[in-house]
Amino acid sequence: MRRTESVPYSHLSVELGHVYAEDFGDDCRELRRKFERIADWAKAIPALAQRGLRPQRQPRVSYCFLVDDYFHRFGSPREVIPQVQAAAAAHELQIDYVARESTFARHDNVELAQLMVDTLVVEPPRHTTGSRPPLSESGWLSNGQRSPGHAGAPAMTLPLPWSPPLQSGDPRHSIFVDIELWSDEPNGRVWACALLASVWQMTRLGVLRHRGETVAQPYRLPPGEPLPTSWDELPSIVQLNPSAAPFCAYRTVTLMDTRYLPVELAVRTILGQVAVPPAVAEQVARRAQGEGLQLPNELVDRLSYVFIGD
């Protein structure tokens, strides 16, 4: 039997937003504004981290941010990361880890995005005709039953009557979501932001494994070692703070702009259909119970958000 590797856990992983190319225009003015807004909400983090712990227990909290180097390459790690750290520090925010979004598509010859897709367990919608191709061919994932198309209507018959899409779980009123996970383009497959963000969340929760082994674990930058000048040379996750709490955590909270709410709805839909390997799920639950924590069974219920408007 293949051994399931374990990882150290914090009680809470806090993401201080995503960082995109547009944040670095105008002398990083937008980046500084972003951290100014985040700092007000970050004051509530200690109380969130204490949730479920014994009163006298000091929670372990780690802070991270994600750089978009998959869809946009800008600057260099040696230029960008110190600017992000300085903008955060100006508002008394400590960044422990920085991660690269592109590495959640592929890392060390492991196709993480495809690994994520392979963990999805899609429930076949009721009363479907099979006219729509499966997820593996279409690249589309939904949270229920789509409206029927006309492809299944026999020749010389009237089109099938329209019926509304239905969300799984029989809610009173449906909120139907249909998510594109990838697109196949002339230069190859391009993974959607929502799928890469799902891999990122799985990594933060410490439940992503490849053949029982952990993937994309932090690289601790030795004292005095400069950051590389190329994004391709930067490890997937870099530990910036030598005394940081562990990167992975039992729960995550993400602070971000309201414009990312649709993407995170897609992330939650994807994670709601992920089958975590039983050995990994049991390992995490056992570790949490050893600290007096009762984790939700559903992976998606371990995620929290703060959406911040202007």
Side-chain angles (χ1 to χ4, degrees), residues 122-133:
V122 181
E123 179 182 354
R126 295 169 290 179
H127 313 303
T128 52
T129 64
S131 61
R132 182 153 182 160

Side-chain angles (χ1 to χ4, degrees), residues 11 44 46 79 114 116 125 135 153 185 216 218 221 237 260 278 285:
H11 295 109
E79 297 168 334
Q114 185 61 54
M116 184 78 187
L135 167 66
E185 302 182 7
L221 203 65
I237 304 168
Y260 301 123

Side-chain angles (χ1 to χ4, degrees), residues 1-2 52 56 71 76 120 125 142 162 164 169 174 228-229 231 267 271 277:
M1 180 179 293
R2 183 177 284 123
Q56 68 276 15
F71 296 101
S76 73
L120 294 174
S142 74
W162 180 84
S174 289
T229 56
W231 289 108
V267 169
L271 293 182

